[in-house]
Amino acid sequence: MTDNCIFCKIANGEIPSATLYEDDDFKVILDVSPAAKGHMLILPRQHYADIMAMPEELTAKAFVLAKKMAAKLEKVLECDGINLVQNNHEAAGQTVFHFHIHVIPRYAKDKLGIGWKPGKLSDADRDELVEKFKTIV
Ligand code: 5GP
Ligand code: ZN
């Protein structure tokens, strides 16, 4: 547990939260400022700032849990779709620096702005990236 981390305090019960599921490793809570009704957060009980800091086994468990919660959310809300969102570092929109996965229900005609303007993959970028990834373990 890390001092002054709001999600450490929530994940370990020091601050109360609307909890949908919990086990030894995780707490799943409702987001206090939801993008849509049912927006939930998967929080590991242990503090890891982002996905790069997470042990692989716990990361795998977090995404399996997100899949299970998404399936339940679909049944509870009868929504049309689900986004899993996981932000790392400020530039990517991370505001709480304790790893979490957002599970967000979607509806056919909702106006949620989760997306981007599609670009065009240039031949130079394609060749550069394919080569560089061969050299990184
Ligand atoms: P991020 O931008 O870091 O990916 O997402 C952080 C999320 O945590 C936001 O959606 C925000 O609404 C939520 N959040 C921040 N503080 C609290 C809190 O005290 N309680 C709950 N339930 N959610 C919080
Ligand atoms: Zn924390």
Short mmCIF file of all heavy atoms in Angstrom, two decimals, residues 1-2 4-9 12 44-48 96-99, ligand 2:
data_model
loop_
_atom_site.label_atom_id
_atom_site.label_comp_id
_atom_site.label_asym_id
_atom_site.label_seq_id
_atom_site.Cartn_x
_atom_site.Cartn_y
_atom_site.Cartn_z
N MET A 1 0.84 -1.21 0.00
CA MET A 1 0.00 0.00 0.00
C MET A 1 0.87 1.26 0.00
O MET A 1 1.83 1.35 0.74
CB MET A 1 -0.89 -0.02 1.25
CG MET A 1 -1.73 1.21 1.39
SD MET A 1 -3.35 0.82 2.03
CE MET A 1 -3.88 2.43 2.56
N THR A 2 0.52 2.22 -0.86
CA THR A 2 1.31 3.43 -1.00
C THR A 2 0.55 4.60 -0.37
O THR A 2 -0.65 4.76 -0.60
CB THR A 2 1.56 3.72 -2.50
OG1 THR A 2 2.34 2.64 -3.00
CG2 THR A 2 2.31 5.01 -2.72
N ASN A 4 -1.10 8.09 0.40
CA ASN A 4 -1.73 9.09 -0.45
C ASN A 4 -2.19 8.58 -1.81
O ASN A 4 -2.36 9.37 -2.73
CB ASN A 4 -0.81 10.31 -0.66
CG ASN A 4 -0.57 11.02 0.65
OD1 ASN A 4 -1.50 11.13 1.47
ND2 ASN A 4 0.65 11.45 0.89
N CYS A 5 -2.36 7.26 -1.94
CA CYS A 5 -2.94 6.73 -3.17
C CYS A 5 -4.40 6.39 -2.88
O CYS A 5 -4.69 5.52 -2.06
CB CYS A 5 -2.19 5.49 -3.65
SG CYS A 5 -3.02 4.68 -5.04
N ILE A 6 -5.31 7.09 -3.55
CA ILE A 6 -6.74 6.92 -3.30
C ILE A 6 -7.19 5.49 -3.60
O ILE A 6 -8.03 4.92 -2.88
CB ILE A 6 -7.57 7.97 -4.10
CG1 ILE A 6 -9.05 7.90 -3.78
CG2 ILE A 6 -7.39 7.85 -5.58
CD1 ILE A 6 -9.48 8.71 -2.63
N PHE A 7 -6.63 4.88 -4.66
CA PHE A 7 -7.06 3.53 -5.02
C PHE A 7 -6.50 2.49 -4.05
O PHE A 7 -7.13 1.45 -3.83
CB PHE A 7 -6.71 3.20 -6.47
CG PHE A 7 -7.65 3.83 -7.48
CD1 PHE A 7 -7.47 3.63 -8.84
CD2 PHE A 7 -8.73 4.62 -7.08
CE1 PHE A 7 -8.33 4.20 -9.77
CE2 PHE A 7 -9.59 5.20 -8.00
CZ PHE A 7 -9.39 4.98 -9.36
N CYS A 8 -5.32 2.74 -3.45
CA CYS A 8 -4.85 1.84 -2.37
C CYS A 8 -5.85 1.87 -1.23
O CYS A 8 -6.19 0.82 -0.67
CB CYS A 8 -3.49 2.28 -1.86
SG CYS A 8 -2.10 1.69 -2.84
N LYS A 9 -6.29 3.06 -0.88
CA LYS A 9 -7.21 3.20 0.25
C LYS A 9 -8.55 2.54 -0.06
O LYS A 9 -9.13 1.86 0.79
CB LYS A 9 -7.40 4.68 0.60
CG LYS A 9 -6.13 5.25 1.22
CD LYS A 9 -6.27 6.71 1.56
CE LYS A 9 -4.96 7.20 2.20
NZ LYS A 9 -4.70 8.59 1.99
N ASN A 12 -8.19 -1.42 -0.35
CA ASN A 12 -7.94 -2.09 0.93
C ASN A 12 -8.97 -1.72 2.01
O ASN A 12 -8.78 -2.02 3.18
CB ASN A 12 -6.51 -1.81 1.39
CG ASN A 12 -5.52 -2.47 0.44
OD1 ASN A 12 -5.40 -3.68 0.42
ND2 ASN A 12 -4.85 -1.68 -0.40
N PRO A 44 -6.31 -3.68 -8.59
CA PRO A 44 -5.56 -4.64 -7.78
C PRO A 44 -5.41 -4.10 -6.36
O PRO A 44 -5.33 -2.88 -6.17
CB PRO A 44 -4.19 -4.72 -8.48
CG PRO A 44 -4.08 -3.49 -9.29
CD PRO A 44 -5.47 -2.99 -9.57
N ARG A 45 -5.40 -4.99 -5.38
CA ARG A 45 -5.24 -4.51 -4.00
C ARG A 45 -3.83 -3.95 -3.77
O ARG A 45 -3.66 -3.00 -3.03
CB ARG A 45 -5.51 -5.65 -3.01
CG ARG A 45 -6.98 -6.03 -2.96
CD ARG A 45 -7.25 -6.95 -1.79
NE ARG A 45 -8.56 -7.55 -1.87
CZ ARG A 45 -9.69 -6.99 -1.42
NH1 ARG A 45 -9.67 -5.80 -0.87
NH2 ARG A 45 -10.83 -7.63 -1.53
N GLN A 46 -2.85 -4.56 -4.44
CA GLN A 46 -1.48 -4.05 -4.31
C GLN A 46 -1.26 -2.87 -5.25
O GLN A 46 -1.85 -2.81 -6.33
CB GLN A 46 -0.49 -5.14 -4.69
CG GLN A 46 -0.19 -6.07 -3.54
CD GLN A 46 1.11 -6.83 -3.78
OE1 GLN A 46 1.99 -6.40 -4.51
NE2 GLN A 46 1.23 -7.98 -3.16
N HIS A 47 -0.39 -1.97 -4.83
CA HIS A 47 -0.13 -0.77 -5.63
C HIS A 47 0.89 -1.04 -6.74
O HIS A 47 2.03 -1.43 -6.47
CB HIS A 47 0.42 0.36 -4.74
CG HIS A 47 0.67 1.62 -5.50
ND1 HIS A 47 -0.29 2.59 -5.66
CD2 HIS A 47 1.76 2.05 -6.18
CE1 HIS A 47 0.21 3.57 -6.40
NE2 HIS A 47 1.46 3.27 -6.72
N TYR A 48 0.46 -0.81 -7.99
CA TYR A 48 1.36 -0.75 -9.15
C TYR A 48 0.93 0.47 -9.94
O TYR A 48 -0.27 0.63 -10.21
CB TYR A 48 1.26 -2.01 -10.01
CG TYR A 48 1.68 -3.26 -9.27
CD1 TYR A 48 0.74 -4.12 -8.73
CD2 TYR A 48 3.04 -3.56 -9.09
CE1 TYR A 48 1.13 -5.25 -8.02
CE2 TYR A 48 3.42 -4.68 -8.39
CZ TYR A 48 2.47 -5.52 -7.85
OH TYR A 48 2.86 -6.63 -7.15
N VAL A 96 -5.19 8.66 -12.12
CA VAL A 96 -4.91 8.00 -10.84
C VAL A 96 -3.80 6.98 -11.11
O VAL A 96 -3.98 6.07 -11.93
CB VAL A 96 -6.16 7.31 -10.25
CG1 VAL A 96 -5.80 6.62 -8.95
CG2 VAL A 96 -7.28 8.33 -10.02
N PHE A 97 -2.68 7.15 -10.43
CA PHE A 97 -1.48 6.39 -10.79
C PHE A 97 -1.35 5.11 -9.96
O PHE A 97 -0.34 4.85 -9.31
CB PHE A 97 -0.26 7.32 -10.74
CG PHE A 97 -0.41 8.42 -11.75
CD1 PHE A 97 -1.01 9.63 -11.41
CD2 PHE A 97 -0.04 8.21 -13.08
CE1 PHE A 97 -1.22 10.62 -12.37
CE2 PHE A 97 -0.24 9.19 -14.04
CZ PHE A 97 -0.83 10.41 -13.68
N HIS A 98 -2.45 4.35 -10.02
CA HIS A 98 -2.56 3.00 -9.45
C HIS A 98 -3.29 2.23 -10.56
O HIS A 98 -4.43 2.59 -10.91
CB HIS A 98 -3.37 3.06 -8.15
CG HIS A 98 -3.67 1.74 -7.50
ND1 HIS A 98 -3.39 1.48 -6.16
CD2 HIS A 98 -4.29 0.63 -7.96
CE1 HIS A 98 -3.79 0.26 -5.84
NE2 HIS A 98 -4.35 -0.28 -6.93
N PHE A 99 -2.63 1.21 -11.11
CA PHE A 99 -3.19 0.47 -12.25
C PHE A 99 -4.69 0.21 -12.09
O PHE A 99 -5.14 -0.19 -11.01
CB PHE A 99 -2.46 -0.87 -12.39
CG PHE A 99 -3.07 -1.78 -13.43
CD1 PHE A 99 -2.62 -1.75 -14.73
CD2 PHE A 99 -4.09 -2.66 -13.08
CE1 PHE A 99 -3.19 -2.58 -15.70
CE2 PHE A 99 -4.66 -3.50 -14.04
CZ PHE A 99 -4.21 -3.46 -15.35
ZN ZN B 2 -2.21 2.64 -4.93
#
